[in-house]
Amino acid sequence: MVECGRHLNIELLTLAEVEGISGKEGNFQVKVRQKPRVVDMDKCIACNLCAEKCPKKVPDEFNEGLDKRKSAYIKYGQTVPLKYAIEMETCIYFVKGGNKGVKGKGKCRACEKVCPTGAIDFDQDFQDEIKEINVGSVILTPGFKPFDPSAFDVYAYSKFNDVVTSMEYERLLSSNGPCMGHLTRPSDGKEPKKIAWLQCVGSRNINKCDNGYCSSVCCMYAIKQALVTAEHTTGEVDQAVFYMDIRTHGKEFEKYYEQAQEKGIRFIPSRIHTAYPGSEGGVSVEYFNDQTGERVKEDFDMLVLSVGLETSKGSIDLAGKLGVELDKYNFAQSSSFAPGTTNIPGIYASGSFQNPMDIPQSVTEASSAAASASVALSSQRGSLTQERTFPQEKDVSAEEPRVGVFVCSCGINIAGTIDVKELTEYAKGLSNVVFVENNLFSCSQDTQVLIRDKIKEHNLNRVVVAACTPRTHEPLFRETMKDAGLNEYLFEMANIRNQNSWVHGKEPEKALEKSKDQVRMAVAKASMLEPLEYLSVNVNQSALVVGGGISGMVTALGLADQGYETILMEKAHKLGGNAWNLATTWRGEQIRPYLEDLISKVENHSAIKVYKNADIKANKGSVGDFVSEIDVAGEIKAIRYGIAVVCTGGQEYKPDEYLYGQDDRVFTHLEFDKEMSEHKPALEKAKGAVFIQCAGSREPERPYCSRVCCTHTMHSAVELKNANPKMPVYVLYRDIRTYGAREDLYREARELGVVFIRYNPDNKPRVSREGDDLVVVVRDHVLFRDVEIRPDYLVLASAIVPAEHKNLVELYKCGLNSDGFLQEAHAKLRPVDMSVDGMFLAGLCHYPKSIDECISQAQAAVSRASTILSRSVMPLDSIKSYVTENCDGCAICVDTCPYGAIALTDYERDGGMHKKIETNKALCKGCGICEATCPKQGVYVHGFTNEQLRAQLLAALENV
Amino acid sequence: MTKVTVAEEWLNACAGCEIAILNVGDVLVDLLVNNLEFVHIPVILDKKYFGQTGEEKELSIPEAVVGIVSGGVRNEEHKEVLLEMRKKCQILIALGTCATNGGIPAMINMYTDEELKKFYYKDSPTTDPADYPTEHIPPLLDQCYAVDQLVNVDLYLPGCPPHPDWIAGAVLALLEGKTDYKMPEKSVCDACPTIRESKKGLADIKRMLASPLYDPDKPLNEMRCLLEQGLLCLGPVTGVGCGGHNGAPRCISARVPCRGCYGPVRKGAKPLVDYMGALASVGFDPNNMPDRRGYLARFAGAHGVLKRPVGGRNG
Amino acid sequence: MADNNEPVIVGFLCNWCAYAGADLAGVSRMQYPTNMRAIRVMCSGMVHPNLVVEALERGADGVLVLG
């Protein structure tokens, strides 16, 4: 969020609503209604005084109404932009006047009086502002609304205080929620010791106008909440999850589920029909024990309803205004082959407005939408972007340090606790300090001018600002440094607000002592700061895509459509990969025509070079300029490219159980698809089919869920039933994982009479042959006895296994997870980036997924890659490692660098050969593990050298 | 022309450093003709502290321009001699690792005097138990000191023994009037030509006496780094110089790991912390190393590096 | 630190997690004792063991490496 707020080319319009849209792709006119914030954004410094003084308390919607906030407020601590707002609907001044939306007539105006910067002025007219914006593309990300269970008496949500929704529970657990992180239950403030989660509240149910689809995320969040609960309560706590199917189909999710089971969280397969009052407060529920078949009544201190996700009324209205078509569940309608597009060219949808989805999927879809949105605009790229210019930088490297210290009062945020006058006087006595000044607000625009002038007037060459946190304000002051002609790295902050006055409000004297130490430490470090070089790498604006399946082709086409020369390599003799073996998507769209069209577009695109029978042999270089050797059908070629996208895919696992390979009536999914299309008449005469789920998945040697097999089985089962409604079809499963709208297929299969039998992994189905018959025996979970089935087809929903990545891992130093899938840089926040800069991934090499998800991820990779490829020069952060003269090549650090940025080289000195290391600035991320490893101070990180850290340390301990 | 006068003394030392002085060889012989004169060097030239017949009351060492001291300071006698040297010499050189860092004898800093005496006079398996002597033994100081802990030192020439190249270099520099002669502040690795590939997998450490893999017919630069072969070579945290100005490290040349005889890479460095930190970074568990204090500070136990353990923890 | 009863703690805080967490504690106005002096680092992995040892040698009562 902070990055978004700070980005020069992102304009934030808060409190705004789209009124209407006209024009077409490439040239939309959007009419936006922006409500008044009342607080002047340029003046507000988020000091919280207005909220402190505001007498009007209203329920805090961020904490789900569990506690109160004021009418003058920010929604939560990390709000971006960090500016307060006054809610006209509740503010006494406006409400008393009876005149919502315009000048109020109430008397209060307390916030106006107390605001130290004059950001609040009630003497003006406040009216909604209508803005017309001209844009080329529109992306809709209105998010979701949690399902409201209050109308459903079965959950007794409205009846009992101790029945809460999962969103409310999340706030109860949160350290900045109403309980400050120490869980208590709403009815009596007691710490709950027994908590139950009810899954699928408002999902997978069409009984009472709730939603037919699966909300996809609730199983994971319930498991998370159950696990986290233990950390927010004291002593033993009992957590039970009542579920229909546990759906942990995401990457690393199944492991998390197993971990929860190991930690003793109870998972009970039962849908609770009614909640009764408990014996001592709390709630009582009734269910059937699936092991014994007995009816059980159990008391819980709290009940958490795992509510589903749905589209809000506002989002539906928005879609209506824009003419965007929604599906029957009110999610944006799109095709599997063009995820994120809507019926209107140039308008895209992303996130939970498309489907209920989790964070990694949302981030992926968001990047994907950005890619789609920018293709049409690529010819105009860069035409409206802004950059700042600065005066020539002064060389101060030979000068003695002359430190200027600016002590911020931050209104009374700092000055209210810390005696800033004394701190200012104290700073004057520190060595190297030649100028000290106290500002009311060091971050204000006029103070920036003042700091710049003082730097010039006093010939300062190092600056310390004692104020808030460098994490939010360092960029601002660094700009001011550059404005004053100084290197921006000659700057240091002392965090006397977030890490002092705000957290030591009751101990002003000790806070003052601490602030002196903080300033002394900052000055000590500042005195040792050196100007740093501004680094950049030249970007070869072309790409390599490894793997020519659907993901690889979509990536290559996306990059080429953006105008980048792209090499697509495929190890087989033709493009297409697994898609050749798939008939339809889960939505029923035919894959073959799409595939053939895609291949022809790729092969005929002037910016794409396709190499078949190709394999990477060698690689060096790094982001911006990779240099590789590839073997193309026996011929070695050298290629150069700026980024690489890995789409090496995966394949179907060949099972080694259930008589697979020993009986030709036993198929895998892909084999059965082929059988169905080639021998259709046989289907009609067949006397039955059995599907066994999780063949090779969720097993000790392959502990992950293969995600797509349940949906595939539903699809095949429905097809069988449609071909021959009389044919008995059985699905032997552990949990059915038809997430999202795929749930419809599951429901359809049940309606068509497919029989579902849940088996236990400790007692798997047994397959044998008796005479000519194939015999499947399974223990039925309802009848509690073995059932024998003699089918003509036995279909194994076999796992998806990743491609072999050993070579790739060695050449690019990228990572694999324990299941052999390629590792993304961050599971949630950077799902298509790899930890190696300039490398991205998409498709099955990352994790099993459906075609639409592969295409989204491929488009996301295009978007992420464009952030590098769009510029011929990529600026790098200057905080990088560098080799000092002490290095003598012992090479211990080489292996410790997580980014492979260190290499050993030979050089000549005084007539002898010696060794030392070299660091690659493009690969280095400045983590400094090398610095901590080196036993002789041979490698440092700029701005964080041992001497600089030591200077801070010694300053901290000066008075001890 | 007047010769530059030199006084040499040995304290808690073995005379190896003095042999190193003699090993300077031809250069020294030439200098002795016109430029240098040893006015005091009791290891080589007989000299009694209180007059040749013990007639004097005060310890006497003649004045000299250059003073060279080998050995650390362990008892009152060493201290008295050292203070006298400092008084009589304009420039004082600490020669050898005992003088610069305490050397091997400073390992005693891990033990109490009582433990020392008990082992030396009673428990040592090669000694017939005897009573503690009470006379003719100078009183011990509380620990073994490096020379610069008691007096100001102008020039450091570590090594056990120091390579003659550095002794000659220092003397020649002084004769040219340069008093800022300094050993290079690099580690043994700087002079070591062995092949370095990867230090991963250091979890398995071999015994020091185990033989590394190498082909005796091939030069040193075709042998894999001994640390990478699982031998706990102290090269990365030991000052360079044992091979002289341009030679390969001596122990490595003999295909055995560096023991650390040149002491830390620079003054104030903490090889103990430095090395354990570095090795832990590549996956080595410091707990796998018995007596790591004694091992890593074998030559550098002065300056408070080695202390008697407080409590029961094995160092 | 005139009062001898106050322990002195040096903290090395990773910019991306612990330091950000300390900032958020501030935004949330959580109150905690004043004894820690924070040194911001780009990764807790950059803290050389020598710095920890030196902090203790120079009189720190505790060292926190948070990351």
Side-chain angles (χ1 to χ4, degrees), chain A residues 488-782:
Chain A
E488 64 175 286
Y489 294 99
L490 298 169
F491 173 78
E492 183 69 19
M493 282 186 89
N495 190 337
I496 61 170
R497 188 183 77 175
N498 296 43
Q499 298 187 13
N500 192 337
S501 66
W502 275 355
V503 290
H504 307 314
K506 296 187 186 86
E507 301 176 281
E509 276 171 26
K510 285 183 183 169
L512 175 64
E513 283 312 305
K514 176 170 170 178
S515 70
K516 288 178 182 176
D517 287 0
Q518 287 178 305
V519 170
R520 190 172 64 240
M521 288 163 72
V523 168
K525 182 169 178 195
S527 304
M528 302 196 67
L529 290 174
E530 299 283 335
L532 301 185
E533 195 187 339
Y534 298 108
L535 301 169
S536 61
V537 287
N538 290 329
V539 178
N540 181 331
Q541 289 171 290
S542 66
L544 171 71
V545 178
V546 187
I550 285 203
S551 302
M553 287 192 289
V554 170
T555 306
L557 199 59
L559 288 166
D561 279 347
Q562 302 251 7
Y564 307 119
E565 292 288 326
T566 301
I567 296 166
L568 174 63
M569 30 184 302
E570 165 57 45
K571 69 171 189 291
H573 66 282
K574 66 171 181 179
L575 296 175
N578 288 313
W580 286 112
N581 302 321
L582 292 166
T584 63
T585 67
W586 65 272
R587 290 190 177 93
E589 299 124 319
Q590 289 295 318
I591 289 171
R592 189 60 66 85
Y594 166 75
L595 179 65
E596 284 167 356
D597 179 52
L598 184 63
I599 292 176
S600 107
K601 275 186 190 152
V602 165
E603 293 196 325
N604 295 316
H605 201 296
S606 60
I608 301 177
K609 204 176 278 168
V610 178
Y611 291 124
K612 293 172 199 167
N613 297 309
D615 197 12
I616 302 188
K617 289 287 159 210
N619 175 60
K620 56 183 188 193
S622 52
V623 57
D625 190 22
F626 288 100
V627 185
S628 302
E629 268 177 22
I630 58 172
D631 177 336
V632 183
E635 188 192 339
I636 301 289
K637 282 185 193 295
I639 54 170
R640 298 181 83 117
Y641 47 96
I643 63 101
V645 183
V646 182
C647 308
T648 42
Q651 65 246 358
E652 191 178 56
Y653 168 68
K654 298 294 175 199
D656 54 6
E657 53 186 341
Y658 304 128
L659 292 185
Y660 179 79
Q662 297 166 42
D663 189 305
D664 54 13
R665 285 166 294 184
V666 185
F667 301 88
T668 63
H669 263 314
L670 292 181
E671 291 160 0
F672 190 59
D673 282 356
K674 204 168 166 216
E675 177 71 16
M676 279 200 291
S677 66
E678 288 174 4
H679 302 102
K680 205 142 195 173
L683 287 181
E684 284 153 25
K685 282 181 269 160
K687 58 181 185 185
V690 170
F691 291 83
I692 300 180
Q693 299 304 106
C694 301
S697 304
R698 302 179 68 191
E699 296 272 358
E701 59 277 22
R702 239 166 278 95
Y704 57 92
C705 163
S706 292
R707 190 176 175 105
V708 298
C709 345
C710 282
T711 308
H712 200 145
T713 292
M714 295 312 141
H715 214 282
S716 304
V718 166
E719 205 169 318
L720 284 177
K721 275 289 190 185
N722 284 337
N724 179 0
K726 291 204 181 105
M727 185 204 300
V729 177
Y730 300 89
V731 176
L732 316 185
Y733 73 102
R734 290 171 60 186
D735 293 280
I736 292 292
R737 294 182 167 174
T738 46
Y739 55 99
R742 293 160 178 84
E743 182 71 10
D744 286 351
L745 281 172
Y746 181 25
R747 188 176 307 109
E748 189 184 349
R750 293 199 312 267
E751 283 163 359
L752 289 171
V754 176
V755 178
F756 288 85
I757 302 175
R758 185 195 291 268
Y759 75 84
N760 187 318
D762 299 331
N763 186 12
K764 293 208 284 192
R766 298 180 299 282
V767 181
S768 59
R769 240 182 329 218
E770 255 180 59
D772 281 346
D773 280 359
L774 193 60
V775 182
V776 180
V777 178
V778 63
R779 182 136 186 109
D780 186 280
H781 66 301
V782 179

Side-chain angles (χ1 to χ4, degrees), chain A residues 885 888-890 895 909 914, chain B residues 186-187 190 196 199 236 278 281:
Chain A
E885 57 179 16
D888 44 37
C890 72
D895 291 320
R909 192 188 71 225
H914 300 270
Chain B
K186 289 212 182 309
S187 82
D190 190 52
R196 279 145 241 184
K199 294 203 166 50
S281 292

